[in-house]
């Protein structure tokens, strides 16, 4: 199974900050990576797929990059609506696996 | 508008069974592969099963293989998860999730989830 490791576990930031979340795969997954945002009590929301393709309707302050084993999700200017938990997911092979999540908190 | 509505969750004793349903609307259900993803209380996301558009291909995560069965009824726009021999570590919110494109294996629409609690 491919293990996905996210860092940091928790991130404290202020509105307007640039935020970077890292996701590492235990083996190469090419660009087969998605990012999701989840707010408490809600279902996850797809943000990015194929490592860097922005899902329709997602604000352009979100961007993704990387390939192989190392990936990043960047929020260029954190907004109040962005405080949430973020997950990466690889879909290179089954079982599909998620990272452990990164919680973005208000500083 | 795409809608996925799960039902069938509840409290069950260890070793018991439950059948979850996911009612789909707002899109051509038969054109999309579907998945079940679960989330234990306070924990992260865990994919557990996939089914292709005509049910010809099914995948399971090892922890549920042999105990859970995914199925679908395209005529009823519904996805199912039959869960047998439930264990306490199956306690979670269970989400149905649509593949963005058939066979894409990432998820653009999710239901609101249904809570399954396994406890004596």
């Amino acid at each position: 199974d491919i293990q996905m490791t996210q860092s940091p576990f928790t991130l404290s930031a202020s509105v307007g900050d640039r935020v970077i979340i890292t996701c590492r795969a235990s083996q190469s997954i090419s660009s087969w990576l998605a990012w999701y945002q989840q707010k408490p009590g809600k279902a996850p929301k797809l943000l990015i797929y194929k490592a860097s393709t922005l899902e329709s309707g997602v604000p352009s302050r979100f961007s993704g990059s990387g390939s192989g084993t190392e990936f990043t999700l960047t929020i260029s200017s954190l907004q109040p609506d962005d405080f949430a938990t973020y997950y990466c997911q690889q879909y290179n092979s089954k079982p599909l696996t998620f990272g452990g999540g990164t919680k973005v908190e208000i500083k | 508008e795409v809608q996925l509505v799960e039902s069938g969750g509840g409290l069950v004793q260890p070793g018991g069974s439950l059948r979850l349903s996911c009612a789909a609307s707002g899109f051509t259900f038969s054109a999309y592969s579907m998945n079940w993803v679960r989330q234990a209380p306070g924990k992260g996301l865990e994919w557990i099963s996939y089914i292709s558009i005509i049910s010809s291909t099914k995948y399971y995560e090892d922890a549920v293989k042999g105990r859970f069965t995914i199925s679908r009824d395209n005529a009823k726009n519904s996805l199912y998860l039959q869960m047998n021999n439930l264990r306490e570590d199956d306690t979670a919110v269970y989400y149905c999730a649509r593949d963005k494109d058939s066979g894409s294996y990432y998820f653009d629409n999710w239901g609101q989830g249904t809570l399954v609690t396994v406890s004596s």
Side-chain angles (χ1 to χ4, degrees), chain A residues 19-98:
Chain A
V19 166
I20 298 175
I21 298 169
T22 298
C23 178
R24 289 187 173 88
S26 60
Q27 63 190 75
S28 177
I29 59 169
S30 185
S31 295
W32 306 123
L33 185 97
W35 289 98
Y36 301 87
Q37 176 194 67
Q38 187 180 33
K39 296 181 179 178
K42 300 293 187 182
K45 172 187 174 183
L46 177 66
L47 298 176
I48 285 168
Y49 57 95
K50 208 173 178 185
S52 60
T53 303
L54 199 65
E55 171 70 343
S56 176
V58 174
S60 59
R61 63 181 179 273
F62 290 92
S63 64
S65 66
S67 66
T69 62
E70 191 143 340
F71 302 86
T72 59
L73 172 70
T74 300
I75 309 173
S76 60
S77 177
L78 197 66
Q79 298 302 301
D81 191 48
D82 302 337
F83 291 97
T85 300
Y86 294 84
Y87 294 93
C88 60
Q89 178 230 329
Q90 68 81 18
Y91 51 99
N92 178 78
S93 62
K94 270 70 75 181
L96 311 176
T97 48
F98 291 86

Side-chain angles (χ1 to χ4, degrees), chain B residues 25-113:
Chain B
S25 61
F27 67 103
T28 304
F29 179 71
S30 59
Y32 288 85
S33 43
M34 298 293 295
N35 301 265
W36 288 98
V37 177
R38 68 184 179 183
Q39 186 168 36
K43 302 297 185 184
L45 300 167
E46 179 184 26
W47 169 83
I48 56 171
S49 190
Y50 161 94
I51 188 167
S52 61
I53 57 176
I54 57 168
S55 306
S56 55
T57 301
K58 300 177 184 180
Y59 296 115
Y60 299 93
E61 191 239 359
D62 281 352
V64 307
K65 204 174 292 183
R67 300 187 300 123
F68 290 11
T69 302
I70 192 171
S71 62
R72 65 189 294 162
D73 186 336
N74 288 341
K76 294 183 178 180
N77 293 333
S78 293
L79 175 72
Y80 305 102
L81 186 69
Q82 177 67 42
M83 305 188 295
N84 297 331
N85 192 19
L86 282 159
R87 310 187 302 222
E88 290 192 352
D89 62 357
D90 293 318
T91 294
V93 173
Y94 285 73
Y95 296 101
C96 63
R98 187 186 83 166
D99 274 357
K100 180 171 172 68
D101 302 297
S102 186
S104 66
Y105 302 110
Y106 58 93
F107 321 123
D108 69 339
N109 280 276
W110 300 61
Q112 85 288 351

